Amino acid sequence: MKLFDLGFEPEEVITHPRHQAAQVDLVPLIERVRACRSPQDGYELQQDLLRRILEVEDDRNAFSKAVKRMRDGKAPQVGAPEPQSGRDPLDIETWILERELCERVSRQFRSIGDALAWRAFNHDRRYILALCRNAPAGIMAGKAGLKAELETVENHWRDSGQFALMHDLTNCLRIGDITVWEDDGPHTYEIKTNSKYRNTVQERRIATAYEAVRTGSALPGDNPGERLHDIDAPLLTHMELLQIATQRASKDGIFAAKAPGSRALIAVDLHGVISQRWTPEEYGQRLARQWNAARRRARIGDQLDLNMHATSLDSVSRDPLRVPWGIYPLHPVAAARLIGDVMTFVVETSGPSLAADLTAQGIPAQWVRPPGTDDVAAGEVVMEMHSQADWHAPNGLTAKLTRTLQLRRSEMDRYLIELLDQDCWAAGIRHLLLSPNTSDRPWPVFRNEGDTWL
């Protein structure tokens, strides 16, 4: 977490009045996302979310200006928001803490925007995968084109009763400015203050994204091998284990267990930890004992430098590929605690054990990541899977089809953090290995995701 890297203690973050207020606000916002049934529901929720994010970002801009002034030996500007931490206002670290807390809280609210986007797209991951492929937008407050975007939202609502979602309220929608749900489905637009100046590059990326969803053609970007592939099987997960984990951790502080598919899971809830009245030493000992026991039960504790994990910690609205916690099938309070890092969970696997599981299912696999405890880099290959099969062409000829799939960090992260059922996951891999139409860099999409996410 960036705040910890800057030298601030977790207690300073979690107990900060702004952070605690956000925790209270998140629960009803999550409930409203889940209750959205009409364009009016989406429009009203977006207006509320917009107000909250702009308020936080206005404060963040002001704190950032104060930090710059103090670094130049000046006092904070007149009218700067008052720090809420209780720290010394003459210390620049006080203002840095306030600035970074605003960044955290704005991301937490954007995770609600991500949840609203998933719900508006009816949990169709293809649209998210296609429209996330740009750099993040940055701060809304003070944005030059904000007025034009707001007018577009209002015009669609006033004239047609259509819901128009502003992408800047999300992290997962990065191509285009607004998506409008019209009579024939969603349409994404680039909005300009002056209509004479079109952004043809972004318009092409929008068109490419929608063509990729419709036909399976290349996704936006430089690699034509990156394509969506529909897996003709429903998405299956072990969300019931995460439900148990969050419930138990909220009461007991720590919950650890073996998870199906050569995985172990641990959840920690700060409110539950506090209720146990453990000393820091007792907490550390219990955490290590329960986590190591879960690893042993999952048979992944023998060589930890060959293990790989995914964590919920400080993850909201950073990775556009992550499903937002707000639509996980969890109690709204548990979802809010995950968003705010009041509760965290980790899922871990052994690379060689996972490769052995796939091999036992008839998918020869090899863990290729060398031993080490460093975080996996974006795009890094961690496992390779192989296949060889006969393919019967329409002209009566038979060909040998051989293929190697490389598993990278994003797909491994999904297997872990979404607790995908291993048989379901293996079926998707088998489909990609055996299909003659699989591209060099496939993005698999299972069916019926709405049955998993709320």
Side-chain angles (χ1 to χ4, degrees), residues 89-107:
L90 300 179
D91 184 354
I92 190 173
E93 295 297 313
T94 299
W95 298 82
I96 292 174
L97 173 61
E98 299 291 339
R99 181 193 66 191
E100 296 305 317
L101 262 164
C102 287
E103 187 274 337
R104 268 180 62 81
V105 170
S106 68
R107 281 194 293 108

Side-chain angles (χ1 to χ4, degrees), residues 238-248 328-331:
H238 292 283
M239 283 294 128
E240 72 284 351
L241 178 59
L242 186 57
Q243 292 167 345
I244 293 170
T246 55
Q247 293 166 4
R248 289 281 300 276
Y328 269 59
L330 303 171
H331 193 283

Side-chain angles (χ1 to χ4, degrees), residues 70 164 225 274 292 294 301 342 417 451:
M70 294 181 78
I274 291 171
N292 288 333
V342 177
I417 210 70
D451 294 341

